[in-house]
């Protein structure tokens, strides 16, 4: 083993000295001076992410930005005018700030000059919000709520809304609010205050209320524009017509027409199709409104436009005998307006109206009691001393009839003048 180690050592020494006779040279290279980096001669890049406070402070605007490389200072402009030059910090506090939108612009600079472009942001100093304007509340437009609205208020972050002395919300965001929990049914004062960083605006008030009777405000409100021409209005639950010239009642119709109108596109017309029967028979054409509900203890108004070349009558009755047609059998006490009755044949005459060849508005408040002379055309309720009453139990679903009567052979030129109706309305008197 010892001889083996000596052999390996001698072999290693011989190998090392054998390599010493080789020569290795790195060589020489030419260097292109154009490839060597030189000093920069351009300015720095514009700063990024400029942020100016907006309505955050009452006495200043703070401007901040991110630093840029190769920058020794920053210049800050305000609406195009130098505000501060040579800034070494990346923020600035403008204590002479404006309470209107203000543009802040920042340039980076170094020994080579300013950045070619600038970064900008809009800031504003806050103020006390002014008094809100156009503060409004609904007046009986809804059954169980009051909707409130107002214009946006500058410098406001949120609003305080009160109903009387009760604070409905002390943090309303936006410009609308619905008071739908125990909303008042009588006119009630609401107060609005705008709140911002710098304080509260002067208060402004308005009044509003809800109306539980809204469902009964317009049990009928019809101008007939929603129906196709020629539509049979008698097919609706609310209308029917009765033609009485012969034993079978005779043909006739109550339809939507555009032959004449007042304020819209169409009206309703009721007419008899065979006036020749009038030669031997007296009769009537009757239009009845039904199947609507009134409110016990309340008063109502009926109004409509009427056009008819011969006298007509209008009467309101409770259908006491279930016939679906006002008649003497229903009893005089069941009429909701003073109504004269022809005792000879049982026909009721109702409120008499003269011929109205041009559109004329008819309007009466009911229920009422009083005197009505049979031939008194277009009666004056005040002059006749009608006494206002209210809907009683059992009177909530009356029948309202508009009728024209034609004696035997009295149809002009054997042509029945139709009854035109438009803008029919029954409304609750509040």
């Amino acid at each position: 083993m010892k001889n083996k180690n000596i052999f390996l050592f001698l072999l290693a020494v011989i190998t090392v000295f054998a390599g010493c006779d080789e020569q290795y040279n790195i060589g020489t290279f030419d260097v292109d001076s154009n490839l060597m980096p030189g000093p920069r001669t351009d300015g720095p890049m514009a700063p990024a992410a400029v942020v100016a406070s907006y309505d955050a402070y009452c006495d200043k605007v703070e401007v901040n930005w991110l630093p840029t490389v190769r920058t020794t200072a920053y210049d800050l402009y305000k609406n195009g005018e130098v505000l501060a030059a040579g800034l070494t910090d990346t923020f600035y506090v403008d204590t002479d700030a404006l309470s209107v939108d203000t543009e802040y612009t920042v340039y980076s600079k170094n020994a080579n000059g300013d950045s070619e472009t600038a970064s900008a942001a809009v800031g504003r100093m806050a103020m006390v919000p002014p008094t809100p304007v156009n503060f409004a509340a609904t007046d009986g437009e809804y059954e169980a709520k009051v909707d409130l609205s107002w214009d946006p208020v500058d410098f406001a972050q949120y609003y305080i809304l009160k109903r009387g002395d009760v604070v409905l919300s002390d943090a309303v965001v936006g410009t609308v609010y619905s008071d739908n929990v125990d909303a008042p049914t009588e006119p009630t004062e609401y107060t609005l205050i705008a709140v911002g960083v710098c304080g509260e605006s002067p208060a402004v008030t308005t009044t509003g209320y809800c109306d539980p009777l809204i469902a009964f405000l317009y049990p009928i409100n019809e101008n007939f524009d929603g129906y196709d021409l020629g539509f049979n209005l008698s097919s609706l639950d609310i209308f029917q017509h009765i033609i009485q010239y012969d034993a079978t009642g005779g043909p006739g119709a109550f339809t939507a027409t555009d032959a004449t109108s007042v304020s819209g596109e169409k009206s309703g017309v009721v007419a008899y199709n065979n006036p020749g029967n009038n030669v031997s028979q007296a009769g009537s054409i009757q239009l009845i409104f039904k199947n609507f509900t009134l409110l016990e203890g309340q008063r109502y108004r009926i109004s409509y436009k009427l056009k008819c070349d011969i006298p007509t009558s209008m009467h309101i009755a409770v259908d006491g005998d279930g016939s679906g047609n006002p008649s003497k059998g229903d009893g005089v006490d069941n009429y909701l307006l003073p109504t004269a009755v022809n005792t000879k044949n049982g026909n009721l005459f109702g409120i008499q109206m003269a011929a109205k060849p041009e559109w004329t508005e008819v309007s009466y408040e009911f229920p009422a009691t009083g005197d009505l002379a049979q031939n008194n055309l277009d009666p004056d309720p005040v002059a006749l001393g009608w006494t206002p009453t209210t809907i009683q139990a059992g009177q909530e679903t009356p029948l309202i009839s508009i009728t024209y009567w034609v004696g035997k052979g009295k149809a002009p030129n054997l042509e029945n003048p139709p009854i035109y109706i438009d803008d029919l309305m029954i409304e609750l008197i509040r």
Side-chain angles (χ1 to χ4, degrees), residues 221-291:
N221 190 359
E222 185 61 77
N223 66 1
F224 306 104
D225 285 353
Y227 305 103
D228 294 333
L229 292 178
F231 179 80
N232 180 13
L233 296 164
S234 294
S235 65
L236 303 175
D237 288 340
I238 199 170
F239 300 118
Q240 73 178 54
H241 73 275
I242 297 176
I243 310 297
Q244 294 177 329
Y245 275 122
D246 52 36
T248 61
F254 177 50
T255 58
T257 178
D258 64 353
T260 181
S261 181
V262 182
S263 59
E265 301 172 353
K266 304 181 185 74
S267 61
V269 57
V270 57
Y272 184 54
N273 294 338
N274 188 6
N277 285 350
N278 181 237
V279 174
S280 59
Q281 294 286 336
S284 66
I285 297 180
Q286 190 171 17
L287 172 63
I288 299 174
F289 317 139
K290 60 176 185 172
N291 292 340

Side-chain angles (χ1 to χ4, degrees), residues 78-129:
K78 177 180 177 180
N79 287 338
E81 301 288 338
V82 176
L83 177 62
L87 298 173
T88 56
D89 292 322
T90 57
F91 67 91
Y92 185 84
V93 178
D94 181 9
T95 57
D96 193 25
L98 304 176
S99 57
V100 296
D101 285 1
T102 305
E103 184 180 65
Y104 292 91
T105 308
V106 183
Y107 288 86
S108 301
K109 61 191 303 181
N110 60 21
N112 296 323
D114 296 348
S115 56
E116 292 184 2
T117 60
S119 297
V122 175
R124 187 176 75 169
M125 183 176 68
M127 293 186 67
V128 175

Side-chain angles (χ1 to χ4, degrees), residues 22-356:
E22 299 292 334
Q23 298 296 321
Y24 296 95
N25 296 320
I26 297 176
T28 59
F29 297 90
D30 293 330
V31 178
D32 187 350
S33 61
N34 293 326
L35 298 177
M36 299 295 292
R40 297 278 300 259
T41 60
D42 59 333
M45 297 293 290
V50 176
V51 177
S53 62
Y54 197 95
D55 290 355
Y57 307 103
C58 304
D59 57 352
K60 62 182 178 180
V61 168
E62 290 188 354
V63 186
N64 296 269
W65 58 93
L66 293 178
T68 55
V69 297
R70 298 190 309 106
T71 298
T72 58
Y74 302 92
D75 289 345
L76 176 63
Y77 286 72
K78 177 180 177 180
N79 287 338
E81 301 288 338
V82 176
L83 177 62
L87 298 173
T88 56
D89 292 322
T90 57
F91 67 91
Y92 185 84
V93 178
D94 181 9
T95 57
D96 193 25
L98 304 176
S99 57
V100 296
D101 285 1
T102 305
E103 184 180 65
Y104 292 91
T105 308
V106 183
Y107 288 86
S108 301
K109 61 191 303 181
N110 60 21
N112 296 323
D114 296 348
S115 56
E116 292 184 2
T117 60
S119 297
V122 175
R124 187 176 75 169
M125 183 176 68
M127 293 186 67
V128 175
T131 305
V133 297
N134 293 329
F135 182 39
T138 52
D139 290 338
E141 295 180 26
Y142 302 101
E143 183 176 358
K145 69 172 182 175
V146 177
D147 279 352
L148 301 111
S149 62
W150 55 91
D151 289 349
V153 177
D154 211 7
F155 305 106
Q157 294 183 324
Y158 59 90
Y159 302 88
I160 298 173
L161 185 63
K162 300 179 181 179
R163 182 181 68 202
D165 295 329
V166 177
V167 176
L168 295 177
S169 177
D170 60 0
V172 179
V173 177
T175 58
V176 294
Y177 186 89
S178 183
D179 181 13
N180 54 17
V181 178
D182 297 327
T185 58
E186 298 293 334
T188 301
E189 185 177 83
Y190 289 87
T191 302
L192 180 69
I193 300 171
V195 182
V197 173
C198 302
E200 298 181 354
S201 73
V204 63
T205 62
T206 189
T207 58
Y209 63 95
C210 69
D211 187 357
L213 304 182
I214 190 69
F216 300 91
L217 181 57
Y218 296 105
I220 296 179
N221 190 359
E222 185 61 77
N223 66 1
F224 306 104
D225 285 353
Y227 305 103
D228 294 333
L229 292 178
F231 179 80
N232 180 13
L233 296 164
S234 294
S235 65
L236 303 175
D237 288 340
I238 199 170
F239 300 118
Q240 73 178 54
H241 73 275
I242 297 176
I243 310 297
Q244 294 177 329
Y245 275 122
D246 52 36
T248 61
F254 177 50
T255 58
T257 178
D258 64 353
T260 181
S261 181
V262 182
S263 59
E265 301 172 353
K266 304 181 185 74
S267 61
V269 57
V270 57
Y272 184 54
N273 294 338
N274 188 6
N277 285 350
N278 181 237
V279 174
S280 59
Q281 294 286 336
S284 66
I285 297 180
Q286 190 171 17
L287 172 63
I288 299 174
F289 317 139
K290 60 176 185 172
N291 292 340
F292 58 92
T293 302
L294 304 182
L295 193 64
E296 183 179 342
Q298 301 297 322
R299 286 178 51 73
Y300 290 83
R301 178 187 297 107
I302 180 172
S303 62
Y304 53 90
K305 306 296 195 311
L306 174 67
K307 184 175 181 179
C308 184
D309 287 340
I310 61 175
T312 59
S313 64
M314 190 271 288
H315 39 265
I316 306 175
V318 177
D319 185 16
D321 61 2
S323 66
N325 179 24
S327 66
K328 184 181 178 183
D330 291 326
V332 175
D333 291 339
N334 281 330
Y335 295 117
L336 303 185
L337 281 176
T339 301
V341 176
N342 184 329
T343 56
K344 179 179 179 181
N345 57 24
N347 293 329
L348 55 94
F349 286 86
I351 299 172
Q352 304 298 292
M353 291 175 282
K356 302 184 186 299

